[in-house]
């Protein structure tokens, strides 16, 4: 078992920070990565479905090259390769709600085997109000669970806890889980409809009352 940096007794942590859309999740992930790199640590940035391809960017104007975590990517193999070459102190993983369960398992193994820290970021629930698969697995495995504390609000003023999917302005709980915001779903039954997302409190998510 190769240590990332040979530090005796170094023990990594798997930390899961979760939020809803609009919680600034990706911005926080990018900032954490940026700060650790500036401190001289060696790490990898991982994401999925970023609109800019493999560059993670944020409204802060900071961007870094990233590994895109598509279905075939073995995150443990990636970490081993990094540890064996330049060394690996940490991984920052964004959009983990979309990771396969086995990829989340791999992140746990990265921590245990290499001693690197894994800082994972993801959305809690999908538009149906159910935990994403990757999120559920991360909840089961993580050493620490941190809610992102950005105060998103429903139109009524209550704290927003749900990402609602609107099709032509009407809340829907059916369809594919993975639909990226504001796309025209050309290969789905949503064809021709306008898909948007809105942050709602639990009450208005349940009643379906949108603004
Ligand atoms: Zn509300």
């Amino acid at each position: 078992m190769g240590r990332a940096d040979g530090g005796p007794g170094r023990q990594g942590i798997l930390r899961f920070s979760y939020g809803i859309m609009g919680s600034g999740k990706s911005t926080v992930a990018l900032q954490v990565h940026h700060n650790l790199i500036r401190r001289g640590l060696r790490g990898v940035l991982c994401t999925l479905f970023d609109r800019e391809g493999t560059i993670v960017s944020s409204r802060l104007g900071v961007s870094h090259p990233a590994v895109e975590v598509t279905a075939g990517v073995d995150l443990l193999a990636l970490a081993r390769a990094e540890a064996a070459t330049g060394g690996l102190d940490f991984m920052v993983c964004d959009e983990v709600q979309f990771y396969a369960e086995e990829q989340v398992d791999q992140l746990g193994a990265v921590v245990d085997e290499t001693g690197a820290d894994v800082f994972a970021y993801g959305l809690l629930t999908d538009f149906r109000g159910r935990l994403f698969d990757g999120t559920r697995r991360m909840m089961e495995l993580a050493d620490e669970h941190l809610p992102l504390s950005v105060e998103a609000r429903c139109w009524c003023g209550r704290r927003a806890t749900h990402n609602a999917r609107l099709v032509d302005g009407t809340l829907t709980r059916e369809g594919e889980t993975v639909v990226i915001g504001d796309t025209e779903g050309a290969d789905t039954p949503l064809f021709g409809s306008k898909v948007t997302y809105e942050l709602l409190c639990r009450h208005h998510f349940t009643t379906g009352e949108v603004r």
Side-chain angles (χ1 to χ4, degrees):
M1 303 287 175
R3 287 271 172 213
D5 56 3
R10 172 164 167 69
Q11 191 174 357
I13 193 166
L14 177 57
R15 177 184 295 158
F16 181 42
S17 302
Y18 56 91
I20 59 172
M21 242 177 244
S23 59
K25 171 182 68 63
S26 293
T27 298
V28 173
L30 194 57
Q31 192 64 53
V32 165
H33 178 269
H34 189 70
N35 291 346
L36 293 173
I37 291 290
R38 281 184 60 186
R39 227 189 278 163
L41 297 173
R42 299 153 300 181
V44 179
L45 182 60
C46 299
T47 190
L48 188 60
F49 290 139
D50 191 85
R51 288 180 188 77
E52 307 296 317
T54 52
I55 299 291
V56 177
S57 56
S58 77
R59 279 162 288 182
L60 295 180
V62 184
S63 70
H64 286 282
V67 173
E68 178 138 39
V69 185
T70 50
V73 172
D74 183 334
L75 293 166
L76 179 57
L78 174 77
R80 283 174 176 158
E82 290 290 326
T85 52
L88 183 70
D89 297 307
F90 71 91
M91 293 175 72
V92 170
C93 299
D94 195 12
E95 311 288 9
V96 298
Q97 73 273 11
F98 293 134
Y99 291 14
E101 289 189 14
E102 64 183 20
Q103 289 172 320
V104 176
D105 290 346
Q106 288 159 9
L107 291 176
V110 166
V111 172
D112 296 338
E113 183 179 313
T114 72
D117 294 315
V118 173
F119 303 113
Y121 296 84
L123 299 176
L124 199 54
T125 54
D126 63 20
F127 70 97
R128 301 167 304 175
R130 305 287 181 178
L131 289 176
F132 285 96
D133 290 341
T135 297
R136 182 184 303 106
R137 191 63 185 141
M138 189 57 82
M139 280 292 188
E140 292 166 350
L141 286 187
D143 300 304
E144 290 184 2
H145 312 76
L146 297 179
L148 291 166
S149 59
V150 170
E151 282 295 301
R153 295 285 167 179
C154 178
W155 57 267
C156 71
R158 287 195 192 94
R159 185 161 172 267
T161 52
H162 286 72
N163 304 311
R165 177 186 291 174
L166 310 186
V167 177
D168 292 333
T170 301
L171 189 148
T172 179
R173 298 182 182 84
E174 295 173 358
E176 296 299 314
T177 300
V178 181
V179 171
I180 308 304
D182 301 321
T183 54
E184 310 283 333
D187 56 353
T188 73
L190 301 173
F191 177 76
S193 299
K194 188 172 191 311
V195 178
T196 55
Y197 290 86
E198 183 166 337
L199 300 173
L200 296 174
C201 67
R202 181 180 58 243
H203 174 64
H204 286 125
F205 179 80
T206 302
T207 62
E209 289 173 82
V210 296
R211 185 161 18 197

